[in-house]
Amino acid sequence: DADVTQTPRNRITKTGKRIMLECSQTKGHDRMYWYRQDPGLGLQLIYYSFDVKDINKGEISDGYSVSRQAQAKFSLSLESAIPNQTALYFCATSDKGDRGGADTQYFGPGTRLTVL
Amino acid sequence: QQQVKQSPQSLIVQKGGIPIINCAYENTAFDYFPWYQQFPGKGPALLIAIRPDVSEKKEGRFTISFNKSAKQFSLHIMDSQPGDSATYFCAAGPRDTGNQFYFGTGTSLTVIP
């Protein structure tokens, strides 16, 4: 969806390198998410943010960090990349649901990261 | 620990067939159940969603069936077409507190012409 963009789309790096994946959205949503997708494991939540000052760990946050630079920007960093972090990474955004909770998430096109 | 269990992992049907994908959950706090469709090279996109106050929801050829007592929900694709070939993910989450969805592991659907 063009409303959620991710850069880069593909990245190959070496073990031990620091990597940053960036996400921008024009949907005006407060909530942003980073997921990792591996074959057979579906989508696993890494971190999520409900606003600029609210950042929360997801299911698999170890080895990752995030920064919410603005309402529209949410970056994911791998401080020291390792081969088992090779995966497809998705950013998503959502509005707040009608009861304050879950609502539709809109995904970016993904970043394919390979760690050699 | 998988919060949402999805089956089958892959499915092949003939054009016009009715593929069925099943999901199960344990957390009774979950009360929002979306299905996402993902084509190769793209991010997942919302297909259809259901809340537990109804047992069935239809949108075009896509139907969700929901069984609250069994904590199960299913996606049915009527008159399936080759263009429906994609990976389908179910998800579940609470509407009241926070916004963390839990996704199933995905089903790769192939519709043969």
Side-chain angles (χ1 to χ4, degrees):
Chain A
D1 186 43
D3 296 325
V4 183
T5 57
Q6 293 182 234
T7 56
R9 294 295 312 278
N10 288 281
R11 182 72 182 268
I12 300 173
T13 190
K14 295 182 179 180
T15 297
K17 293 292 187 181
R18 184 179 187 275
I19 295 295
M20 179 180 286
L21 308 183
E22 298 186 332
C23 177
S24 295
Q25 54 113 348
T26 59
K27 298 190 76 67
H29 291 161
D30 286 329
R31 299 181 173 191
M32 298 186 73
Y33 311 80
W34 275 104
Y35 288 92
R36 168 177 172 158
Q37 185 176 34
D38 296 278
L41 293 180
L43 291 156
Q44 297 175 281
L45 184 63
I46 306 173
Y47 271 95
Y48 61 103
S49 170
F50 283 177
D51 64 39
V52 174
K53 296 182 180 180
D54 179 26
I55 292 178
N56 307 278
K57 292 182 178 181
E59 304 168 81
I60 56 163
S61 59
D62 287 349
Y64 301 95
S65 63
V66 291
S67 174
R68 186 80 184 267
Q69 301 93 327
Q71 185 207 37
K73 295 184 182 298
F74 193 35
S75 300
L76 176 71
S77 292
L78 289 67
E79 296 301 325
S80 180
I82 57 176
N84 77 359
Q85 291 178 313
T86 293
L88 194 52
Y89 290 85
F90 287 102
C91 173
T93 75
S94 79
D95 207 346
K96 187 168 65 174
D98 57 356
R99 283 163 54 174
D103 200 3
T104 303
Q105 295 192 5
Y106 297 86
F107 286 81
T111 294
R112 185 168 296 281
L113 177 66
T114 302
V115 183
L116 302 175
Chain B
Q1 180 180 354
Q2 197 71 31
Q3 295 272 355
V4 178
K5 296 181 180 178
Q6 183 172 346
S7 63
Q9 184 175 359
S10 63
L11 195 52
I12 301 174
V13 300
Q14 295 279 354
K15 177 183 173 182
I18 305 176
I20 301 172
I21 304 170
N22 300 299
C23 286
Y25 65 99
E26 288 297 326
N27 192 332
T28 55
F30 293 166
D31 59 355
Y32 181 61
F33 305 93
W35 285 88
Y36 284 78
Q37 181 187 54
Q38 184 182 26
F39 292 105
K42 303 288 187 181
L46 180 69
L47 184 63
I48 185 173
I50 196 168
R51 296 175 180 176
D53 50 345
V54 297
S55 60
E56 185 176 277
K57 182 174 181 179
K58 293 182 180 180
E59 286 189 4
R61 296 183 293 107
F62 300 91
T63 299
I64 299 179
S65 298
F66 184 80
N67 185 330
K68 187 175 181 178
S69 61
K71 290 184 284 187
Q72 295 175 348
F73 57 111
S74 301
L75 176 70
H76 302 233
I77 305 175
M78 305 303 175
D79 186 28
S80 59
Q81 302 295 314
D84 296 328
S85 297
T87 299
Y88 293 82
F89 293 95
C90 62
R95 282 191 293 154
D96 281 336
T97 57
N99 197 13
Q100 183 171 346
F101 279 179
Y102 293 91
F103 283 83
T105 51
T107 296
S108 177
L109 171 66
T110 302
V111 181
I112 299 171

